[in-house]
Amino acid sequence: DRLVQDIQSSATRISELVASIKVYSHMDRSAEHKPTDVRVGVDNTLTMLAHKVRQKSIDLRRDMDESLPLVSANAGELNQVWTNLIDNAIDAVDEGGQITIRALSNEQWIEVAVEDDGPGIPEELRAQIFDPFFTTKEVGIGTGLGLGIADRIVKLHGGHIEVRTRPGETVMCVRLPVSARP
């Protein structure tokens, strides 16, 4: 009986991962901008990165307004943004650290903020973080492309990324217009 329960549980988990991968990658969609729920993209990204969160015993908090409006976007591209920001936050925090993902909106903007309690970005490096190939990670760990790609995608969607950082707190805040330009 226990073995059957384990197999059922594993099959359910595999099915959930495959469904998340399909939605996350938007393999069955064109590159057109369509009405997009950013919460779904963030949640699928969290599913994809759940193993890294568990490995570091991170306290992950999700605070997303359930009434967020849809944005006109390429959902697959936005998922690259969420992946890069959340993955960087995971890398930044120590074992047992905390990451909070918030999403809220007003009539003009949707704002998604990824906040971590890592060491912060040193002032002398802040101007470079969106430059291609710039990384603070060890050789072989980071390519230095993540934030540059995220910044480019957000700008293509009519938005911008704001960075607030100090020791013990970094917030990467993505603002997208509610009626994004295709």
Side-chain angles (χ1 to χ4, degrees):
D1 285 344
R2 176 81 170 122
L3 184 58
V4 170
Q5 286 175 346
D6 286 348
I7 291 170
Q8 285 176 330
S9 174
S10 297
T12 300
R13 181 71 181 131
I14 290 168
S15 183
E16 288 171 356
L17 281 170
V18 168
S20 285
I21 289 169
K22 185 176 178 188
V23 173
Y24 172 84
S25 66
H26 291 268
M27 293 184 320
D28 57 345
R29 296 196 184 172
S30 71
E32 293 178 28
H33 287 220
K34 296 182 179 179
T36 302
D37 185 343
V38 297
R39 291 171 305 146
V40 172
V42 169
D43 286 341
N44 283 317
T45 301
L46 290 173
T47 298
M48 301 300 293
L49 296 173
H51 68 286
K52 290 184 81 172
V53 171
R54 280 191 305 272
Q55 267 181 335
K56 290 182 85 173
S57 302
I58 294 170
D59 177 16
L60 180 67
R61 299 176 185 194
R62 182 188 172 281
D63 179 16
M64 298 215 269
D65 181 354
E66 296 303 316
S67 64
L68 283 179
L70 301 178
V71 296
S72 177
N74 178 309
E77 289 181 350
L78 286 185
N79 286 345
Q80 290 181 50
V81 173
W82 314 138
T83 300
N84 285 316
L85 297 182
I86 295 168
D87 194 41
N88 280 353
I90 291 168
D91 288 344
V93 299
D94 290 329
E95 176 105 12
Q98 182 178 315
I99 296 173
T100 303
I101 301 171
R102 292 186 177 84
L104 52 94
S105 69
N106 62 30
E107 287 133 25
Q108 299 169 328
W109 296 96
I110 285 182
E111 184 175 287
V112 178
V114 178
E115 179 180 334
D116 69 66
D117 67 354
I121 302 166
E123 190 171 340
E124 65 273 10
L125 302 180
R126 291 178 194 164
Q128 298 173 278
I129 63 171
F130 294 110
D131 292 349
F133 303 108
F134 176 79
T135 183
T136 59
K137 297 176 185 175
E138 293 178 30
V139 174
I141 303 219
T143 62
L145 295 173
L147 288 180
I149 290 170
D151 188 49
R152 183 183 56 79
I153 290 170
V154 170
K155 285 178 179 170
L156 286 172
H157 283 80
H160 64 275
I161 301 178
E162 177 185 317
V163 181
R164 297 185 306 269
T165 186
R166 61 184 172 86
E169 178 186 59
T170 296
V171 181
M172 303 294 277
C173 183
V174 174
R175 285 201 180 115
L176 296 168
V178 169
S179 352
R181 296 184 297 275

